[in-house]
Amino acid sequence: MSQDTSSDQFFKDSVLGHPAGLFVLFFTEMWERFSYYGMRALLVLFLTSSIAKGGWAWSVQDALGLYGTYTMSVYFTPVIGGFLADKYLGYRWAVILGALAMTLGHAAMAFETPFMLYVGIGCLIVGNGLFKPNMTSIISNAYEKHPEKKDGAYSLYYMGVNAGAFLGIMLCGYIGEKISWSWGFGLAGIFMFFGMLQFYFTQNIFGTIGLKPSEASKKESLDKAALEKVPAHIVRDRIIAVLIFSVFTVFFWAAFEQAGGSMTIFAEKFTQRELFGSSASMFKIADTLLTIVPLLIITYVLIKLFSKTFKKYSIGNLILSVSFIIIWAIVLWKVGREYAAVGTEVPATWFGILNSLFIVVFAPVFSKWWESRYNLSGPMKFGLGLTLLGAGFGFLAYGSMGIDADSVVRVSMFWLIAAYLFHTLGELCISPVGLSYVSKLVPAKWIGIMFGVYYLFIGMGNKIAGLMGGMIETITTQYSLSTFFLIFTLVPMGAGLLMVLLSPLMKKLMHGVK
């Protein structure tokens, strides 16, 4: 079967203006992000909680050290996973094997023993390396002859990413904190398993896209790369620009990834989360709407997918149906349990859902901005993103004034909500923009390795996040908690200002790329 025929087959059945196959990827990625963010929300809290609460009573420094190593590694291994898929496995089998490894990893962590914890994290790192780069590669190949629809496709796919993160943090976090750590970790694995099965039994919808690479397809890729005739001195300058962008992403992610570490600890120890009376009622109503409305929208998409694919891919669709029945059952149980309780204690992990919520709300606004005549250059977007990130930590620095290591003060939830809002606005200026500029600036023959390099820098930022976050107790003891967050206010803002100052140089290095 030719590539043209395969592409035609992929675009044959339409759902919401896009091929049904895109939504197979949407739901597979949704369950993978459900599992990743669900586990990520619990890890540090579980390790640092007291023995009486079922945790392991690790020091914050040790817990965040492990957290940093884990989040760093999940950005390092995609380089290897992408290479294996390109040369040997094909994208589909890389995704399936990666999902299986991650399923086993979550299952291992549910045993709550030190040995199984490390086995589980190892499986998650390997699995993510196989899964992460190759899902997006399938989309890239599928839309190769339809570039005008690619932006919309990635936007929908990004919605699946955030839908999974939203549900994973909310449900795994809730069950882990209020029922059992094991059940929280286990739930992440259950839905990763469903995602793998759904993808496996529906993969024929992609035609020949993502199969093991043949000699013909390798030659075609080399021929495309040979068509690019960009002078060597321009290529050199553009790669230097990519490396500068990469360095500044380290500053961003070193601060942004405090979300899974020091910010979660701030939520657990220093934020007023016990609500009663009208405050509790208002939170329960808001939390119910935040849970039910997105799930209704996703269920609507699921029904539209069923209408196009159920006859041909009944097994995969039945598996997807079962997973959603379970999700709805858990959500309705959670809502009923909370309404039956007198008052409520907001889970410390709950604040993590705000990032996904704000992305869904503000991403269309930023997309319109980038398409308007008021669009900013790449360096200016990076500078703005780092400044907004620092401003978010400014709220935490102000809100935590007067808190020291022995303090029993608990502050308003407003400070965390404001921080997550500004962090998300900063993310929208940097995360998708950075990937876009790598794809624009780098020649086709080097695109894979330079994406790998870019991810390596993000991984370094994640490791630094763990190391810096682990110093929260030391800095709080010697100075104050406000001082700790002030560091994350000033450093990103300083980096943002430096990037703005470098903007004229960056424009020269980019040689007309906008």
Side-chain angles (χ1 to χ4, degrees):
M1 184 181 292
S2 69
Q3 187 67 31
D4 289 337
T5 305
S6 177
S7 180
D8 292 341
Q9 179 181 335
F10 184 76
F11 277 81
K12 184 177 180 181
D13 295 315
S14 177
V15 176
L16 301 178
H18 282 271
L22 175 66
F23 292 92
V24 172
L25 299 172
F26 175 101
F27 285 111
T28 304
E29 178 65 19
M30 190 183 85
W31 291 137
E32 190 276 330
R33 291 291 89 181
F34 180 103
S35 67
Y36 175 81
Y37 281 99
M39 174 272 190
R40 173 180 173 269
L42 288 176
L43 181 61
V44 171
L45 276 183
F46 164 67
L47 293 174
T48 58
S49 291
S50 64
I51 302 295
K53 292 183 179 180
W56 286 1
W58 279 26
S59 70
V60 171
Q61 186 171 3
D62 288 343
L64 287 178
L66 178 61
Y67 171 81
T69 299
Y70 167 62
T71 55
M72 172 187 69
S73 300
V74 297
Y75 282 102
F76 281 12
T77 51
V79 180
I80 301 172
F83 171 80
L84 291 175
D86 282 337
K87 297 293 183 181
Y88 306 107
L89 297 173
Y91 302 133
R92 286 197 222 169
W93 271 106
V95 166
I96 292 167
L97 293 174
L100 177 61
M102 286 187 283
T103 299
L104 295 175
H106 289 297
M109 293 185 71
F111 285 95
E112 293 187 25
T113 67
F115 175 74
M116 295 304 284
L117 172 73
Y118 290 112
V119 169
I121 288 177
C123 288
L124 293 175
I125 291 169
V126 171
N128 185 83
L130 289 167
F131 188 99
K132 188 178 182 70
N134 297 309
M135 288 287 286
T136 51
S137 294
I138 292 174
I139 297 177
S140 180
N141 278 263
Y143 281 81
E144 184 178 7
K145 299 184 184 299
H146 301 270
E148 74 285 355
K149 296 179 73 68
K150 188 175 284 189
D151 285 351
Y154 276 109
S155 296
L156 285 169
Y157 182 76
Y158 199 52
M159 289 288 285
V161 168
N162 285 284
F166 181 91
L167 291 172
I169 293 170
M170 176 173 285
L171 298 182
C172 294
Y174 182 88
I175 290 175
E177 284 193 72
K178 298 205 171 188
I179 306 299
S180 161
W181 300 111
S182 290
W183 279 104
F185 289 129
L187 189 67
I190 289 170
F191 287 101
M192 186 68 262
F193 183 61
F194 280 130
M196 179 194 71
L197 291 179
Q198 183 250 170
F199 182 88
Y200 177 80
F201 285 108
T202 320
Q203 62 175 302
N204 287 339
I205 200 170
F206 305 121
T208 61
I209 297 168
L211 293 177
K212 185 177 179 180
S214 64
E215 290 302 318
S217 65
K218 291 177 184 177
K219 183 178 184 302
E220 183 182 356
S221 297
L222 290 173
D223 291 342
K224 287 178 184 175
L227 291 175
E228 288 195 344
K229 296 181 179 179
V230 180
H233 73 281
I234 292 179
V235 171
R236 181 203 63 193
D237 286 353
R238 288 177 175 174
I239 289 177
I240 291 172
V242 169
L243 292 175
I244 293 174
F245 278 130
S246 300
V247 169
F248 278 85
T249 63
V250 174
F251 288 97
F252 179 82
W253 291 104
F256 184 85
E257 276 299 317
Q258 297 302 314
S262 63
M263 289 175 68
T264 301
I265 291 169
F266 179 79
E268 199 268 335
K269 291 185 177 181
F270 302 114
T271 301
Q272 176 55 41
R273 297 180 290 111
E274 293 183 358
L275 304 176
F276 299 94
S278 60
S279 297
S281 299
M282 290 175 62
F283 176 80
K284 289 175 182 179
I285 293 170
D287 188 49
T288 299
L289 291 174
L290 285 176
T291 309
I292 297 293
V293 173
L295 195 53
L296 283 172
I297 295 171
I298 298 168
T299 303
Y300 170 76
V301 175
L302 181 72
I303 293 169
K304 297 290 288 185
L305 178 63
F306 283 175
S307 69
K308 296 291 184 179
T309 63
F310 199 90
K311 290 182 180 179
K312 290 183 180 178
Y313 308 103
S314 56
I315 296 177
N317 283 323
L318 284 172
I319 291 168
L320 195 54
S321 300
V322 171
S323 64
F324 265 79
I325 290 170
I326 295 173
I327 281 289
W328 271 107
I330 295 172
V331 164
L332 294 176
W333 163 80
K334 171 185 175 289
V335 170
R337 187 175 187 268
E338 284 300 299
Y339 274 99
V342 177
T344 190
E345 182 180 30
V346 180
T349 53
W350 180 86
F351 297 93
I353 72 170
L354 296 173
N355 177 241
S356 297
L357 176 66
F358 290 143
I359 282 178
V360 171
V361 171
F362 289 103
V365 177
F366 276 74
S367 179
K368 290 292 183 183
W369 183 6
W370 303 152
E371 293 172 5
S372 75
R373 61 192 180 97
Y374 301 105
N375 187 20
L376 303 175
S377 67
M380 293 299 289
K381 288 174 184 174
F382 260 64
L384 176 61
L386 285 160
T387 302
L388 289 169
L389 176 69
F393 280 106
F395 282 99
L396 293 178
Y398 183 82
S400 60
M401 289 178 66
I403 297 178
D404 56 30
D406 300 319
S407 179
V408 293
V409 174
R410 287 181 176 262
V411 301
S412 169
M413 293 190 294
F414 167 80
W415 304 113
L416 268 174
I417 294 171
Y420 274 106
L421 171 60
F422 277 79
H423 289 184
T424 302
L425 298 178
E427 180 187 4
L428 288 169
C429 293
I430 287 185
S431 185
V433 171
L435 294 172
S436 175
Y437 274 92
V438 173
S439 68
K440 292 175 183 178
L441 291 167
V442 174
K445 63 181 179 180
W446 291 354
I447 193 75
I449 190 168
M450 289 308 296
F451 265 120
V453 169
Y454 189 76
Y455 278 128
L456 290 178
F457 277 91
I458 295 177
M460 284 189 280
N462 277 261
K463 180 58 180 176
I464 294 171
L467 295 174
M468 289 296 296
M471 297 173 67
I472 184 172
E473 290 182 334
T474 302
I475 294 174
T476 302
T477 300
Q478 294 182 358
Y479 303 99
S480 68
L481 186 59
S482 183
T483 302
F484 174 81
F485 287 123
L486 190 61
I487 294 170
F488 292 102
T489 303
L490 298 178
V491 172
M493 283 186 165
L497 176 60
L498 179 59
M499 178 55 96
V500 170
L501 294 175
L502 288 173
S503 183
L505 172 63
M506 291 293 288
K507 287 181 180 179
K508 289 182 180 179
L509 291 172
M510 291 160 68
H511 289 279
V513 171
K514 297 181 179 179

